[in-house]
Amino acid sequence: MRKHHLLGAILLCGGLFSCSSEVIQQANYEIIPLPQEIKISTGNFVLNDRTSIVYPKGNDEMQQNANLLATYIRQMSGKKLKVIDEQITSNVITLTTGLNTDNAEAYQLKVTPDNIIIRGASEAGTFYGIQTLRKSLPATNKGDISLPGVEINDYPRFSYRGVHLDVSRHFFPIDSIKRFIDMMALHNINRLHWHLTDDQGWRIEIKKRPELTTIGSKRSATVIGHNSGEYDDVPYSGFYTQDEAKDIVRYAQERHITVIPEIDLPGHMQAALAAYPELGCTGGPYEVWKMWGVSEDVLCAGNDKTLLFIEDVLSEMVDIFPSEYIHVGGDECPKIRWEKCPKCQARIKELRLKADKNHTAEQELQSYIINYAEQFLNGKGRRIIGWEEILEGGLAPNATVMSWRGIEGGIEAVKHKHDAIMTPSLFLYFDYYQTMDTDNEPPAIGGYVPLEKVYSYKPVPQTLTSEEAKYIVGVQANLWTEYIPTYSQVEYMELPRMAALSEVQWTMPEKKDYADFLKRLPGLITIYDLNYYNYAKHIFQVKSQYIPDTKANILNVVLSTIDNAPIYYTLDGNEPTAGSNVYTDTLRINQSCTLKAITIRPNGTSTVLKEEVKFNKATMKPVTMLQPINEKYKFEGKNTLIDGLAGSRNYRTGRWIAFYQNDLEAVIDLQQETPISKAWVRTYAEIGEEILDLRELSVAISNDGKGYKEIKSEVYPVASKEDRNGIYTHELSFDTVQAHYVKIIARPEYDIPTWHWGKGRPAFIFVDEIGLE
């Protein structure tokens, strides 16, 4: 981690900021998240060793704010300022409340030559003004700091600004959780969604149910890799006592952060069943789950003991956590056991639950369990949040919905006048990879959520009316930790994506601009370095953009760096050096090559960008789609098939496009009659996610683009349990023919086989390239 610290620090000192101690350093109010209004005025305030911090006498929260500000200033400047409750008017930073606004977290930061005044609508508002002041300061341990006169009027866009941390799959000690909370405070994030229980471990002490931690917090081993079937045989355990959890709550409250605990029910409960097997439909025996995924063993919804268990657990959660919300999960609860369980079927009969066109009786039974938990918590003055599956079977009366599978759950919730928190996996799952170069990354669950994609997220769907949009109360990013065994890796997955998240949560959309965000990011990274945060460095590497030009039959390649550092490249596969070609403008590639590029800064050389570009007769030729690309996985669209770029074993990177409930049917215009004797497509299979391989491939040719003659086809076997995930190339060879237009038809599996959990449903196919030779 020290190496990473030096990288960022030297980078910033070497190019983006002056680190000279001979001149007075100046504050910069262009921070992250960007304030709503910054009005520069005349004069400067000079922060020096004699500056004091003043808070209102008798206000303990503001005293805590003042102490934190003193800590931040000392970290940034080395200055140890006095914190007092006396009334002085010059050379002072005054913290106060009383700002007249409807937004409780709003603040005004005003800098004049005599003083700095941070006035919040509440103590929390003042705290966010403190964060703005902190982030505006340059990092220097010598000399005074000049702050230009300014009036900043600021407030958050969303009241719920959350991050989620899973401590069930992997456990992190108290000091790490506090460090995580400090990271949240830096980014103006005010809700910690603490995922405390799951199939793989129960992490919170429940005094009335001691076996939850004596048994449920311990698993005998952990699966190696992505459910490989091999285990490490290393016992794994850990939980928080109630006193430790209360300490975390206090620590978070001091930073105006609310901790929202999650007890995931009625599914994701195998660790609890290991402790209390009588709560399961089969009676066990159960063990704390050693693998990842979703266990079919869930709480028995027909057992009265289950209801008592829910009451026991939630009663103690209410005592530990003062948050308005308690999260009750409700996600990924298989109904397989309930369908066969006499008690569950008796409960369905007792409640007169019946299937309808939208829901099964078992889904309505889950709604009964969620309603029971909600009524119990409502009786204690609390409200519930649930994952969007709580919509199935009918929504509990006062529930707030977390929409994670997309935006549809959030839309449905607000249509029923329920609050929704948007946390879609395609934009805000931080356990997904943040680069395409997955071979050089720590293991992750999959997916692809780079910094720019996080920043691009728009939380309020355009289909909502202005009245409906009011029910979108917040935005949250989630970190599941199946593949994150250390806290250092938690930081790596969070940062700097948390910076992009903070601007989505805080800043009004019309003020957001990704290029401007990147210019402001190094200032925040200065603070990452001061705290030795283990942030990802991809933003300092060479960035590439590939733009097919099917008229000129070339691939345009645009290279860039965050700070306009010089880029050196080669196209012959050799390693680039300072003596290589210097990038000045768009590269125009018209043949196969290996692109490699680096940037060189005073502190050293970046990681090498490497890209294989492979041309065939279809590459960079016009392509027409006769059947649609699936909208969810459309990415850059049809040109993905002819851009000469291969996808990796990660289908969400944008290098693959998907087809669902229709064939891939594409016509390649070779622009003149051309001899061909082979056609091929590259596909990707991820069987567990309903992405199966092709069932049929055919090729047809035409010279006028109207009448086509099929020249070769092949049918492939139905997918079997023995098939493996991975990348496949399907080739059709034939006698040489002359063709102007070539039609490729790839048929997916329209009926997933009975051995698969998605049996009877249509499967996806993913394709990254079409080739002709």
Side-chain angles (χ1 to χ4, degrees):
M1 285 177 26
R2 177 62 60 88
K3 178 181 178 182
H4 296 322
H5 166 71
L6 291 175
L7 170 67
I10 297 173
L11 167 64
L12 297 173
C13 293
L16 299 175
F17 291 92
S18 170
C19 293
S20 169
S21 61
E22 297 176 0
V23 296
I24 188 168
Q25 301 226 24
Q26 185 162 298
N28 180 359
Y29 304 121
E30 300 286 329
I31 62 163
I32 295 173
L34 185 67
Q36 312 295 0
E37 181 182 63
I38 303 172
K39 296 189 292 188
I40 300 295
S41 57
T42 58
N44 293 274
F45 176 86
V46 178
L47 181 69
N48 55 40
D49 293 323
R50 299 176 300 282
T51 304
S52 299
I53 301 172
V54 173
Y55 67 91
K57 193 178 185 71
N59 188 324
D60 292 340
E61 281 190 69
M62 292 294 275
Q63 182 178 11
Q64 176 63 28
N65 279 348
N67 288 333
L68 285 170
L69 176 57
T71 300
Y72 299 147
I73 289 175
R74 187 172 188 183
Q75 182 186 59
M76 298 299 291
S77 68
K79 300 182 186 305
K80 188 174 182 180
L81 304 189
K82 290 192 300 182
V83 174
I84 58 177
D85 61 4
E86 303 167 8
Q87 294 303 313
I88 57 176
T89 58
S90 63
N91 199 15
V92 63
I93 304 172
T94 300
L95 307 182
T96 185
T97 56
L99 184 66
N100 186 17
T101 176
D102 292 335
N103 193 317
E105 294 177 301
Y107 69 89
Q108 181 186 79
L109 190 158
K110 196 167 186 178
V111 177
T112 70
D114 292 327
N115 56 42
I116 298 173
I117 299 175
I118 303 176
R119 185 183 306 277
S122 65
E123 287 81 1
T126 305
F127 179 76
Y128 296 120
I130 287 170
Q131 293 302 323
T132 293
L133 179 59
R134 168 197 190 183
K135 287 178 275 193
S136 299
L137 299 176
T140 176
N141 57 9
K142 292 183 180 180
D144 297 337
I145 296 173
S146 175
L147 291 94
V150 74
E151 181 180 308
I152 296 175
N153 294 294
D154 198 13
Y155 54 88
R157 181 184 181 191
F158 293 102
S159 60
Y160 184 108
R161 304 181 303 281
V163 287
H164 155 287
L165 181 61
D166 167 21
V167 294
S168 176
R169 279 52 178 259
H170 283 103
F171 175 81
F172 308 108
I174 289 291
D175 287 349
S176 295
I177 304 302
K178 290 181 177 179
R179 186 171 166 90
F180 190 82
I181 288 168
D182 285 334
M183 280 175 20
M184 293 173 59
L186 175 64
H187 295 86
N188 294 19
I189 296 172
N190 66 355
R191 299 288 190 275
L192 172 58
H193 174 177
W194 208 10
H195 187 85
L196 291 164
T197 69
D198 219 297
D199 294 316
Q200 294 84 7
W202 187 285
R203 304 294 177 209
I204 183 70
E205 176 190 25
I206 303 296
K207 293 181 179 179
K208 199 168 184 179
R209 299 279 184 162
E211 287 87 353
L212 286 172
T213 47
T214 59
I215 296 173
S217 71
K218 303 172 182 177
R219 62 176 181 257
S220 60
T222 302
V223 69
I224 297 171
H226 289 69
N227 284 344
S228 63
E230 299 179 4
Y231 297 85
D232 61 13
D233 296 326
V234 178
Y236 193 93
S237 63
F239 70 92
Y240 307 98
T241 67
Q242 292 194 6
D243 285 342
E244 287 173 329
K246 289 176 181 177
D247 182 39
I248 287 296
V249 168
R250 284 192 297 271
Y251 191 86
Q253 285 174 332
E254 290 172 351
R255 288 148 183 82
H256 303 276
I257 291 169
T258 300
V259 180
I260 298 173
E262 180 183 355
I263 302 296
D264 202 348
L265 60 87
H268 289 283
M269 271 279 164
Q270 188 157 319
L273 296 181
Y276 297 98
E278 66 273 16
L279 300 180
C281 291
T282 67
Y286 308 101
E287 65 172 352
V288 178
W289 225 25
K290 299 181 293 186
M291 61 187 293
W292 312 131
V294 179
S295 171
E296 294 177 351
D297 287 302
V298 302
L299 291 177
C300 178
N303 189 342
D304 287 339
K305 291 182 179 179
T306 292
L307 304 181
L308 180 60
F309 172 79
I310 290 172
E311 290 185 7
D312 289 345
V313 171
L314 295 183
S315 288
E316 296 195 29
M317 297 304 287
V318 167
D319 290 341
I320 301 167
F321 298 95
S323 56
E324 175 188 6
Y325 288 116
I326 303 292
H327 203 300
V328 297
D331 64 313
E332 298 178 326
C333 178
K335 309 301 189 291
I336 295 170
R337 299 288 186 252
W338 290 1
E339 291 169 358
K340 299 177 181 179
C341 173
K343 289 182 180 179
C344 290
Q345 292 304 309
R347 183 79 77 189
I348 288 172
K349 186 175 181 180
E350 172 196 337
L351 298 172
R352 299 180 181 178
L353 304 178
K354 295 185 181 299
D356 58 29
K357 64 179 181 179
N358 297 316
H359 306 112
T360 66
E362 287 75 21
Q363 286 176 324
E364 293 187 2
L365 183 60
Q366 173 165 323
S367 182
Y368 160 74
I369 291 292
I370 297 297
N371 270 276
Y372 190 90
E374 181 186 47
Q375 290 170 14
F376 180 79
L377 286 168
N378 288 168
K380 293 184 174 293
R382 306 301 182 86
R383 300 173 61 192
I384 70 164
I385 299 177
W387 300 108
E388 66 189 69
E389 287 93 329
I390 68 172
L391 290 161
E392 298 170 359
L395 193 56
N398 301 302
T400 294
V401 173
M402 260 184 188
S403 187
W404 70 275
R405 292 180 294 191
I407 64 173
E408 294 78 13
I411 292 173
E412 184 178 348
V414 303
K415 293 287 186 183
H416 290 90
K417 300 188 184 303
H418 281 259
D419 288 346
I421 297 162
M422 306 303 283
T423 178
S425 60
L426 287 179
F427 291 89
L428 297 176
Y429 267 40
F430 287 0
D431 51 325
Y432 286 10
Y433 285 107
Q434 51 196 316
T435 174
M436 290 188 187
D437 185 16
T438 56
D439 290 342
N440 294 307
E441 289 292 291
I445 195 169
Y448 178 56
V449 179
L451 184 70
E452 186 171 6
K453 190 165 188 178
V454 177
Y455 194 84
S456 72
Y457 179 57
K458 298 175 181 178
V460 179
Q462 293 181 343
T463 57
L464 298 183
T465 66
S466 58
E467 188 61 32
E468 290 169 337
K470 294 177 183 177
Y471 290 96
I472 304 291
V473 297
V475 184
Q476 176 173 293
N478 298 335
L479 187 70
W480 305 97
T481 60
E482 290 94 333
Y483 304 98
I484 304 176
T486 66
Y487 179 73
S488 176
Q489 192 176 341
V490 167
E491 292 185 350
Y492 182 84
M493 302 302 279
E494 289 283 344
L495 302 176
R497 290 190 286 194
M498 191 181 278
L501 170 70
S502 74
E503 202 138 296
V504 173
Q505 294 173 332
W506 185 279
T507 305
M508 298 303 287
E510 61 270 17
K511 295 185 176 296
K512 289 176 67 229
D513 178 82
Y514 185 65
D516 183 64
F517 166 80
L518 289 179
K519 291 177 183 176
R520 290 179 277 118
L521 185 56
L524 187 61
I525 287 176
T526 302
I527 303 178
Y528 292 177
D529 286 327
L530 290 172
N531 287 282
Y532 297 96
Y533 291 150
N534 183 34
Y535 59 93
K537 308 300 187 298
H538 307 109
I539 57 165
F540 296 124
Q541 298 171 9
V542 176
K543 180 183 177 182
S544 57
Q545 184 180 9
Y546 303 95
I547 307 168
D549 182 344
T550 56
K551 291 183 178 179
N553 307 134
I554 60 171
L555 180 65
N556 291 303
V557 181
V558 179
L559 303 179
S560 60
T561 59
I562 188 175
D563 56 349
N564 296 318
I567 299 170
Y568 303 88
Y569 73 93
T570 63
L571 295 174
D572 58 6
N574 288 325
E575 295 301 307
T577 67
S580 301
N581 296 317
V582 179
Y583 175 82
T584 57
D585 201 355
T586 302
L587 304 178
R588 296 167 58 85
I589 295 176
N590 61 6
Q591 61 184 355
S592 297
C593 67
T594 300
L595 166 66
K596 292 186 178 182
I598 57 170
T599 184
I600 301 177
R601 299 183 175 94
N603 60 300
T605 302
S606 71
T607 302
V608 177
L609 165 75
K610 179 181 178 181
E611 191 66 63
E612 296 279 354
V613 182
K614 294 184 178 180
F615 271 64
N616 61 74
K617 292 181 179 181
T619 307
M620 307 306 158
K621 297 298 194 300
V623 58
T624 301
M625 304 306 300
L626 302 184
Q627 296 197 48
I629 304 168
N630 178 258
E631 282 296 324
K632 186 175 181 180
Y633 299 106
K634 192 172 184 178
F635 300 113
E636 299 302 318
K638 63 182 181 179
N639 285 343
T640 303
L641 300 175
I642 50 82
D643 62 7
L645 303 172
S648 66
R649 291 191 56 163
N650 185 347
Y651 63 87
R652 292 190 176 97
T653 61
R655 290 288 176 87
W656 300 90
I657 56 175
F659 299 84
Y660 183 67
Q661 295 183 314
N662 60 259
D663 296 347
L664 177 164
E665 189 171 3
V667 173
I668 310 296
D669 179 0
L670 295 176
Q671 299 176 311
Q672 61 183 5
E673 286 196 15
T674 304
I676 58 170
S677 58
K678 182 188 292 185
W680 52 264
V681 297
R682 266 176 41 112
T683 63
Y684 178 74
E686 187 73 43
I687 296 169
E689 299 189 32
E690 299 183 80
I691 303 171
L692 304 188
D693 206 357
L694 303 185
R695 284 303 313 282
E696 185 175 354
L697 179 65
S698 68
V699 57
I701 62 171
S702 170
N703 287 324
D704 61 6
K706 297 177 182 178
Y708 283 87
K709 175 185 178 182
E710 183 179 289
I711 56 172
K712 190 67 178 289
S713 67
E714 187 169 352
V715 176
Y716 304 105
V718 176
S720 72
K721 288 183 179 180
E722 288 71 37
D723 288 348
R724 294 289 177 262
N725 297 333
I727 297 170
Y728 296 91
T729 300
H730 299 276
E731 295 183 353
L732 296 178
S733 297
F734 39 84
D735 292 338
T736 300
V737 295
Q738 295 287 327
H740 189 137
Y741 300 93
V742 181
K743 180 188 290 186
I744 303 292
I745 301 177
R747 183 165 69 85
E749 178 62 76
Y750 283 96
D751 188 3
I752 294 177
T754 55
W755 58 264
H756 192 283
W757 67 270
K759 60 185 178 182
R761 293 154 57 105
F764 286 89
I765 55 170
F766 275 76
V767 182
D768 75 334
E769 205 75 2
I770 289 175
L772 297 173
E773 298 174 13

